Amino acid sequence: MTSEFDLPCSACGGDLREATIESHELGLQVETEMPLLVAECRTCGERHYPEGTLATLRGHTSWES
Ligand SMILES: [Zn+2]
């Protein structure tokens, strides 16, 4: 199974590493204290959100965009 962590960064092609961030770091109104799993680029710091993380956000958040 291919996960976000197996893919290169879509911004710069760098390697992604697994990282967890607190929901409040996203600046979102997230009704969960659960740390969120993200794929963070080692090179440029771009964050990519795995499907499971997006599902969590969708369940707890109203995006401002
Ligand atoms: Zn990158």
Side-chain angles (χ1 to χ4, degrees), residues 9 11-14 41 43-46:
C9 175
C12 75
C41 179
T43 305
C44 73
E46 180 92 352

Side-chain angles (χ1 to χ4, degrees), residues 28-44:
L28 299 171
Q29 299 294 319
V30 184
E31 296 167 18
T32 176
E33 296 299 314
M34 211 170 55
L36 299 167
L37 184 67
V38 300
E40 191 174 71
C41 179
R42 295 174 196 270
T43 305
C44 73

